[in-house]
Amino acid sequence: MIQAISYGGGVQSTALLVLAARREIPQRLALFANVGDDSEHPATLAYFRYVAIPYAERHGVELVELRKVRRTGERESLLQRLMRDDSSVGIPVRMSNSGAPGNRNCTLDFKIRVIAKELKRRGATKDDPAEMALGISLDEYQRMRADSGIPHERLTYPLIDLRMSRQDCINLIESEGIPVPPKSSCWFCPFHTTAHWRRMLKDEPELFEQSV
């Protein structure tokens, strides 16, 4: 059976990486679906490349970077998809007609399906599904779902099983002597809080203006 970590570059999935490095969970493979160097927050990419990858290599964990590839064979980033004139908006922006968030296809198209494709390439099947560990901690248990929606993939929640909170994850990462990662997300994600946008305006004005 293929056992893998869905690595997103944030606190909880980095905690899973540490647990794998310590062999406290069985996974020796972690998959990072990069939605695009122009789309992921620069701090997330820097952490992935300069902290997570060297750490994984030192401990014998295979940390793989994946990209969305179109049928033509060309790579596609989320920002490229959003900026195409013929494209619908696939991130949850507030709609002018209702004020409610619009469709959110970004995670499905650029992360879930990309990882599922790689698991299938590695041999996962409906009869022998891959076991995918998600970084959801005890204080966000409501995000758990029983069914991945993908026949060749079964979800597991090691942090829940170990009764670990987000703070426990932070403590674990610090105990390993590596930096705690920044919150991972696309820099233009509409789910950012007002406080986050204010910090971005102050500390990253160029990214803020691009987001606007």
Side-chain angles (χ1 to χ4, degrees):
M1 180 201 303
I2 299 169
Q3 294 177 301
I5 293 166
S6 177
Y7 183 77
V11 167
Q12 282 90 339
S13 62
T14 299
L16 288 180
L17 189 64
V18 171
L19 290 170
R22 292 184 173 187
R23 297 185 180 271
E24 295 180 24
I25 57 175
Q27 288 79 4
R28 309 305 297 161
L29 169 67
L31 302 176
F32 173 60
N34 180 356
V35 302
D37 285 3
D38 60 356
S39 307
E40 296 277 3
H41 195 285
T44 298
L45 291 176
Y47 189 92
F48 171 71
R49 287 168 182 160
Y50 302 118
V51 178
I53 288 179
Y55 175 80
E57 288 177 348
R58 288 196 302 271
H59 294 278
V61 178
E62 183 184 4
L63 179 53
V64 180
E65 182 177 1
L66 306 173
R67 302 291 188 99
K68 180 173 177 56
V69 178
R70 302 178 70 181
R71 292 180 181 178
T72 59
E74 297 174 294
R75 284 182 175 179
E76 180 184 32
S77 74
L78 176 56
L79 187 60
Q80 288 171 338
R81 168 80 64 87
L82 295 173
M83 298 304 289
R84 287 211 313 261
D85 291 339
D86 61 344
S87 174
S88 61
V89 179
I91 58 175
V93 293
R94 297 281 173 177
M95 308 304 292
S96 59
N97 59 346
S98 65
N103 292 330
R104 184 190 181 190
N105 302 322
C106 46
T107 299
L108 177 62
D109 287 347
F110 284 83
K111 287 191 175 289
I112 295 173
R113 286 176 176 164
V114 170
I115 288 176
K117 182 178 179 181
E118 175 65 11
L119 293 174
K120 192 171 186 178
R121 187 190 72 80
R122 287 173 177 258
T125 65
K126 182 178 179 180
D127 294 330
D128 185 20
E131 188 177 270
M132 175 58 64
L134 299 187
I136 293 178
S137 53
L138 195 61
D139 40 336
E140 52 182 20
Y141 71 92
Q142 67 277 4
R143 292 180 53 213
M144 294 173 64
R145 48 200 168 94
D147 185 3
S148 70
I150 298 167
H152 61 273
E153 183 179 308
R154 185 168 63 86
L155 302 179
T156 65
Y157 301 92
L159 299 178
I160 299 290
D161 295 339
L162 294 169
R163 312 298 290 175
M164 291 181 65
S165 67
R166 188 176 191 276
Q167 186 58 53
D168 292 329
C169 293
I170 291 172
N171 296 342
L172 176 68
I173 294 166
E174 290 179 335
S175 73
E176 197 69 1
I178 57 175
V180 175
K183 183 176 175 58
S184 65
S185 65
C186 295
W187 49 267
F188 48 77
C189 181
F191 280 156
H192 288 325
T193 64
T194 301
H196 179 96
W197 289 119
R198 286 174 177 155
R199 285 194 300 271
M200 183 184 284
L201 175 60
K202 178 177 180 291
D203 300 331
E204 302 171 299
E206 291 185 6
L207 278 184
F208 181 85
E209 290 301 327
Q210 291 179 57
S211 298
V212 172

